[in-house]
Amino acid sequence: MTETAHYGLLVLLCGAVGLVAVLSNRLTAQFKVPAPLLVLAGAAVVVNVSPQLHSLPELTVERVVTVALVLILFDGGMYIGWSRLRDAVVPTLVVGVLGTFATTAAAAVLLHLAFGLEWYVAVLVATAVAPTDPAVVFSVLGGEQISGRSGTILEGESGANDPVGIALMASLLAAGGLSASAFGQVGQEFLLQMVLGAGFGVIGGVALGWFARLVELPSAALYPLRTLACALSLYGVTAAVHGSGFLAVFVAGVVIGDLQAPYQREVEQFHSALASLSEIAAFVVLGSTVDLSVLTHVDVFVPGLVLGAVLAVGIRPVVIGGCLFPVRLRRTERAFVMFAGLKGAVPILLGEMLRVADVPGAERLYGIVVVVVVLSVLVQGSLVPAVAERLGLLTAPEHPPAG
């Protein structure tokens, strides 16, 4: 194959990804399965059956998905805004931070006791599967919104636990094991990332708000591009000083979510569309890394199925129910939050980080994480509309963000 033909195939693939992103809602309605799962499975099948295509380098995958998550989290923060988050900030932080640690601990115990994984490896896998993804929830609701505070809590939970999970994984990999000194190192690194991420997010959000209100641009088309450039710059600056860039862009999005500025509606629509495209692109890239033959191994799909099932019907209801116990919520809202903790792109990204770090048995561990995500999206995701309707939580159609 000539270089021109190979490049043509890459351009074709990019165009197909964009088309799938635009048509993702129709795919969901047609197949009754969340679009991200269809894209993930499709990419995995294409790469595994086509000898002309090869998996992207692991570092490239990590970088592409990182940019996608930056766009998704920034849009998610803008969609929530401080006016909505204010009434749910306490349960959001408790579920997003404390719930992530508790889920990680419970899943690690299960993996160690049931499947004999070493404690360090068990904690790594548990950390990978702890974060949630409300984008999958909303992708199967046909644009309908969840009433009350439950939708805000789910969105805010992901905005918090995605950065928490990524920072925790990075800290654990840097520590290289579990010991008294390693716990101290992990705690110090994690706290540093969270504090810097939150601080830079607030400062960046305020600065971006000032910039958007006071500095006019010559064309309306430039306003969304300015916000995009600022969000990417904020991530880069925060990450460069060892803070959580993901938390920074989410917090900045929350800060400017209620901003009154020229062309603000167009800016929000642009970022919503970009986040939807980023979500599909992330699943395509991650799907290309999945070796279907590995998923058929008994020591991969059995632990994955068991862990996924226990997370859905045991660990999450208990952990999140405990976190929400002192919070005043309707029983139906509480039940929906306990149920709708679906997994998405972040767990697979964290599994990919295990492969980049050359953790022993990384291919098997990555396969376990993929099985957990597929089970969560396929089974839980397909049940979300029926559960939301049964609980009486669906309201008028809207178009929530991709993350």
Side-chain angles (χ1 to χ4, degrees):
M1 179 181 295
T2 65
E3 181 63 28
T4 301
H6 186 266
Y7 182 70
L9 286 177
L10 290 177
V11 173
L12 173 62
L13 179 61
C14 292
V17 170
L19 186 60
V20 169
V22 173
L23 299 176
S24 59
N25 288 334
R26 296 186 67 86
L27 284 173
T28 299
Q30 181 70 29
F31 295 100
K32 306 302 181 183
V33 174
L37 179 60
L38 296 175
V39 172
L40 180 74
V45 169
V46 168
V47 170
N48 278 266
V49 302
S50 177
Q52 291 85 8
L53 297 177
H54 304 282
S55 297
L56 294 172
E58 294 167 351
L59 191 56
T60 300
V61 171
E62 185 177 333
R63 288 172 175 172
V64 170
V65 178
T66 292
V67 173
L69 287 175
V70 168
L71 302 178
I72 291 169
L73 286 170
F74 183 66
D75 174 65
M78 282 200 301
Y79 176 74
I80 297 174
W82 178 243
S83 61
R84 289 182 60 204
L85 187 61
R86 182 190 297 113
D87 294 333
V89 64
V90 173
T92 294
L93 290 176
V94 172
V95 171
V97 180
L98 180 60
T100 301
F101 279 99
T103 299
T104 298
V109 170
L110 171 65
L111 288 167
H112 176 73
L113 296 181
F115 301 104
L117 269 64
E118 296 181 7
W119 275 114
Y120 178 59
V121 175
V123 171
L124 290 176
V125 176
T127 301
V129 299
T132 58
D133 184 359
V136 180
V137 174
F138 293 114
S139 72
V140 297
L141 288 177
E144 292 183 289
Q145 189 182 24
I146 302 299
S147 64
R149 291 192 293 169
S150 55
T152 302
I153 292 173
L154 284 171
E155 295 156 12
E157 175 192 6
S158 179
N161 70 20
D162 285 356
V164 166
I166 294 170
L168 181 58
M169 178 65 80
S171 302
L172 287 168
L173 291 174
L178 298 180
S179 63
S181 60
F183 276 117
Q185 180 182 346
V186 169
Q188 182 179 0
E189 178 68 20
F190 175 81
L191 186 61
L192 176 66
Q193 290 199 43
M194 292 296 100
V195 171
L196 289 176
F200 273 72
V202 172
I203 295 171
V206 172
L208 178 54
W210 173 85
F211 193 21
R213 286 193 303 269
L214 300 182
V215 179
E216 295 185 1
L217 298 176
S219 170
L222 295 177
Y223 284 81
L225 297 179
R226 175 176 63 182
T227 310
L228 172 61
C230 288
L232 294 174
S233 299
L234 177 60
Y235 170 84
V237 169
T238 309
V241 297
H242 304 291
S244 172
F246 297 105
L247 181 59
V249 295
F250 176 74
V251 171
V254 171
V255 171
I256 69 168
D258 304 312
L259 184 68
Q260 300 296 322
Y263 302 103
Q264 183 64 16
R265 181 173 177 80
E266 288 77 8
V267 169
E268 293 172 354
Q269 291 175 339
F270 171 83
H271 281 280
S272 179
L274 190 60
S276 297
L277 176 61
S278 299
E279 180 193 10
I280 297 300
F283 274 95
V284 168
V285 172
L286 291 170
S288 72
T289 67
V290 177
D291 187 342
L292 296 179
S293 63
V294 172
L295 302 186
T296 62
H297 296 171
V298 175
D299 63 349
V300 172
F301 75 80
V302 171
L305 290 176
V306 172
L307 177 58
V310 174
L311 278 170
V313 302
I315 293 176
R316 180 171 178 88
V318 171
V319 168
I320 302 305
C323 290
L324 294 177
F325 180 76
V327 180
R328 299 184 63 179
L329 280 175
R330 290 181 295 166
R331 286 187 299 175
T332 53
E333 292 182 78
R334 191 186 309 272
F336 188 74
V337 175
M338 291 165 60
F339 169 78
L342 275 64
K343 310 306 175 185
V346 172
I348 303 181
L349 172 63
L350 296 180
E352 184 67 20
M353 289 174 66
L354 300 181
R355 301 207 301 178
V356 173
D358 291 326
V359 174
E363 287 295 334
R364 178 198 175 200
L365 304 180
Y366 184 65
I368 292 173
V369 173
V370 171
V371 171
V372 170
V373 172
V374 170
L375 180 67
S376 175
V377 177
L378 180 61
V379 178
Q380 281 182 281
S382 300
L383 292 174
V384 160
V387 171
E389 184 176 4
R390 182 69 179 269
L391 294 174
L393 295 177
L394 294 181
T395 61
E398 285 197 4
H399 298 285

